[in-house]
Amino acid sequence: MVDTVPAVDTKKIHRLFEAQRANQYKVAESSAGDRIRKLQKLGDAVMKYRPEIREALWQDYRRPAAEADLGEIYPVTSKIKHAKSHLRRWMAPQRVATPLAFVGSSSWVQYEPKGVCLVISPWNYPIQLALGPLISAVAAGNTVIIKPSESTPHSAAVLRKIVEEVFDENEVAVVEGAVDTATALLELPFNHIFFTGAPEVGKIVMAAAAKNLASVTLELGGKSPTIVDETADLGIASSRIAWAKFSNNGQICIAPDYVLVHESKMEAFIDAVKSRIREFYGEKAAESASYMRIINARHFQRVKSYLEDSINAGATVVYGGRSDPGDNFMEPTVVTGMPMDSPLMQQEIFGPVLPVVPYRDLQEAIDLIRSKEKPLGLYIYSKSTRNIERILRSTRAGGTCINHNAVHFFNPNLPFGGSNNSGIGKSHGKFGFVAFSNARAVYKQILPTALDKLTPPYNNLKMKLIDLTIKWF
Ligand code: NAD
């Protein structure tokens, strides 16, 4: 199996980039039917390699088969299905209205591919966060180089196998490697860069893109809050929050990072979450085949230090807390009483620790959320329309689920992405197609136009016509 990360191979990177640059117009000229066939082939390959994908994810960090299927296979196959049934419409020229002053013309928007694109993907969903952007890029008629994360080498190897089976390398290629490989790729004048990862790295990617004026889509992260108000159904809230927090061991960009609970429900909510964790993973999560591990020792130490530093600052562990560094294992952990300046309330946790914070007045919860960077997700458990509308109106976030966590990701009709620190640009469905396209404006003159009458030399009659145009059209 795969144990080492390939060293940067600058020659190969340049060769692939030039090959794709030379081939880009041929790919761009493909019809909707051609692109649909490519997507179908990709979907078939993903299904063929489903057992290998599951095995690779188990090798990388003990991902259970059910979570491999739900978290990697389904998002890819459903995105392909959606793109296949909508692509003809997305590609068709879209007529727009013409102002009266330009009567005798017609105008439309025609989406054209950006050209040669780079996709840099993370380790937490190593298959679907590489193939999801690829589906949009292929639908839009681009060529693509994918740089998967070095932290999930087994998954990256299967990804490469799938891509090599479906595409020629002058159309789509996977380049495995670590930061030095990403850095070498970022020096090239790609037309679009689609990056998924941490906000700090997003800034590096955007700075590199600026050198070539490449457009970017940045899918980043941050602390996504969940509010449980005094009207919420605690059975539902505890179950869905525990599922979204502890699946994938909390390593989900849209996981509920921390929960704000109305003080009258605090005790009952914590009891309910504890019961859900026991139901999901038993008394000993270490022995549960449904419970994953933290990706590697570096991230294990990171999460552990957030927990320990927060405990030293006054936090109390109310469930779990034990860990095994040899296995990158940490129990599903619930914590209360964290000072607001402790790491658990300052850093994106990205691990199996759930801080729960009581609030007295909804404004307190809103103020806390507003004091932080705009989150990627913000979740509300409530039966009060008034509270839901107030939270939606007075906070900002990439996306929101009401009475659920994270599942907005799965609706391809919704845009997915953050805002500022949690991301720039949107993906999924038509939004992903648009991200990888240039919306080309096309204006066609059909009949004679009044503009022809307004050419120099200017005289009083022409000035009057201009006045009339400004006044009436
Ligand atoms: P990361 O930013 O460390 O790595 C992501 C990719 O960037 C990897 O391929 C890595 O090799 C590359 N990279 C890392 N440092 C780089 C550098 N200095 N220059 C160029 N490339 C570099 O992120 P990660 O640890 O793989 O994933 C965790 C982060 O990703 C979290 O912040 C999470 O919230 C975020 N995330 C966001 C989404 C989303 O859709 N918005 C999805 C998953 C993860």
Side-chain angles (χ1 to χ4, degrees):
M1 272 295 199
V2 196
D3 287 319
T4 51
V5 178
V8 60
D9 183 346
T10 318
K11 262 196 191 146
K12 179 182 170 193
I13 287 172
H14 284 246
R15 179 178 58 73
L16 285 172
F17 181 79
E18 288 310 328
Q20 294 204 355
R21 204 141 72 154
N23 189 36
Q24 59 171 311
Y25 283 99
K26 187 162 169 252
V27 175
E29 283 161 18
S30 53
S31 66
D34 296 333
R35 296 181 196 178
I36 286 169
R37 275 187 291 281
K38 287 178 201 172
L39 293 176
Q40 179 65 46
K41 224 171 138 192
L42 179 61
D44 291 346
V46 167
M47 289 310 286
K48 177 176 150 192
Y49 285 101
R50 184 174 168 188
E52 284 195 37
I53 291 173
R54 285 174 167 183
E55 177 58 26
L57 288 161
W58 182 262
Q59 296 279 342
D60 281 331
Y61 48 169
R62 286 180 51 119
R63 173 94 64 90
E67 287 185 24
D69 283 0
L70 259 181
E72 307 277 3
I73 308 286
Y74 172 69
V76 172
T77 53
S78 63
K79 281 188 179 104
I80 289 177
K81 270 191 203 125
H82 184 79
K84 275 168 50 191
S85 52
H86 292 85
L87 187 56
R88 286 178 206 283
R89 212 166 330 130
W90 296 343
M91 283 175 73
Q94 287 164 24
R95 285 288 278 270
V96 295
T98 302
L100 254 185
F102 297 92
V103 69
S105 70
S106 75
S107 298
W108 66 91
V109 177
Q110 196 161 315
Y111 287 102
E112 64 183 19
K114 289 230 167 124
V116 186
C117 301
L118 173 64
V119 170
I120 300 181
S121 54
W123 51 263
N124 65 325
Y125 286 94
I127 302 294
Q128 66 119 330
L129 291 179
L131 293 185
L134 178 67
I135 291 163
S136 299
V138 167
N142 297 279
T143 70
V144 186
I145 294 179
I146 301 173
K147 207 300 279 173
S149 172
E150 64 277 24
S151 301
T152 35
H154 299 90
S155 304
V158 183
L159 180 76
R160 182 167 48 76
K161 220 166 161 180
I162 291 172
V163 165
E164 284 176 356
E165 194 164 302
V166 177
F167 298 97
D168 288 334
E169 65 177 21
N170 63 1
E171 182 166 1
V172 183
V174 172
V175 177
E176 289 156 279
V179 175
D180 50 1
T181 298
T183 306
L185 283 161
L186 285 169
E187 280 166 13
L188 297 172
F190 282 95
N191 299 108
H192 187 73
I193 300 173
F194 190 109
F195 169 79
T196 306
E200 284 318 308
V201 182
K203 292 175 192 172
I204 295 170
V205 170
M206 196 163 175
K211 291 204 174 120
N212 296 306
L213 291 179
S215 51
V216 290
T217 306
L218 303 177
E219 294 286 359
L220 311 177
K223 292 185 81 62
S224 297
T226 297
I227 298 176
V228 178
D229 80 359
E230 63 281 18
T231 69
D233 180 322
L234 293 189
I236 287 176
S238 58
S239 177
R240 293 178 184 167
I241 291 169
W243 168 75
K245 181 69 185 191
F246 299 112
S247 298
N248 218 37
N249 231 240
Q251 302 164 118
I252 308 179
C253 57
I254 41 174
D257 185 273
Y258 61 100
V259 187
L260 295 158
V261 184
H262 189 268
E263 59 177 10
S264 65
K265 299 284 179 173
M266 184 73 177
E267 220 181 302
F269 174 76
I270 287 174
D271 287 345
V273 169
K274 287 183 189 172
S275 304
R276 296 293 93 73
I277 296 172
R278 285 193 194 99
E279 276 166 32
F280 291 174
Y281 306 112
E283 289 293 341
K284 292 184 178 166
E287 291 169 13
S288 165
S290 302
Y291 192 68
M292 279 177 60
R293 296 296 182 266
I294 295 176
I295 182 70
N296 54 32
R298 180 169 68 84
H299 281 281
F300 172 82
Q301 285 306 336
R302 180 184 59 78
V303 180
K304 192 163 162 52
S305 75
Y306 292 171
L307 180 62
E308 283 174 356
D309 291 353
S310 301
I311 292 169
N312 290 338
T316 306
V317 171
V318 295
Y319 189 90
R322 285 172 300 184
S323 57
D324 174 4
D327 196 20
N328 297 325
F329 166 80
M330 183 176 286
E331 281 183 319
T333 298
V334 183
V335 186
T336 60
M338 304 71 44
M340 286 302 133
D341 60 356
S342 63
L344 285 179
M345 291 309 294
Q346 290 295 322
Q347 306 293 333
E348 178 182 9
I349 298 168
F350 222 61
V353 181
L354 183 68
V356 185
V357 182
Y359 71 85
R360 183 167 299 172
D361 183 82
L362 192 53
Q363 192 58 42
E364 245 179 75
I366 290 169
D367 288 344
L368 176 65
I369 292 167
R370 282 184 184 175
S371 72
K372 298 183 180 301
E373 297 281 7
K374 288 183 209 165
L376 184 56
L378 186 157
Y379 312 113
I380 308 165
Y381 286 88
S382 175
K383 288 183 192 146
S384 158
T385 310
R386 206 163 144 255
N387 281 357
I388 293 168
E389 283 175 358
R390 181 166 164 211
I391 296 165
L392 283 173
R393 235 188 0 255
S394 43
T395 59
R396 291 180 187 149
T400 280
C401 296
I402 297 160
N403 295 321
H404 220 311
N405 285 82
V407 290
H408 61 302
F409 182 89
F410 291 102
N411 184 346
N413 299 303
L414 286 173
F416 182 78
S419 182
N420 296 135
N421 197 68
S422 53
I424 292 179
K426 300 288 171 184
S427 58
H428 291 188
K430 169 104 190 257
F431 300 92
F433 172 84
V434 169
F436 281 98
S437 303
N438 171 48
R440 184 175 190 158
V442 186
Y443 174 98
K444 182 179 181 187
Q445 193 64 51
I446 302 161
L447 299 173
T449 160
L451 267 183
D452 293 339
K453 305 275 176 243
L454 297 178
T455 50
Y458 304 118
N459 54 28
N460 282 346
L461 178 65
K462 289 179 184 177
M463 285 311 295
K464 277 217 173 83
L465 271 173
I466 291 171
D467 280 348
L468 282 174
T469 306
I470 290 171
K471 192 161 180 200
W472 296 108
F473 300 114

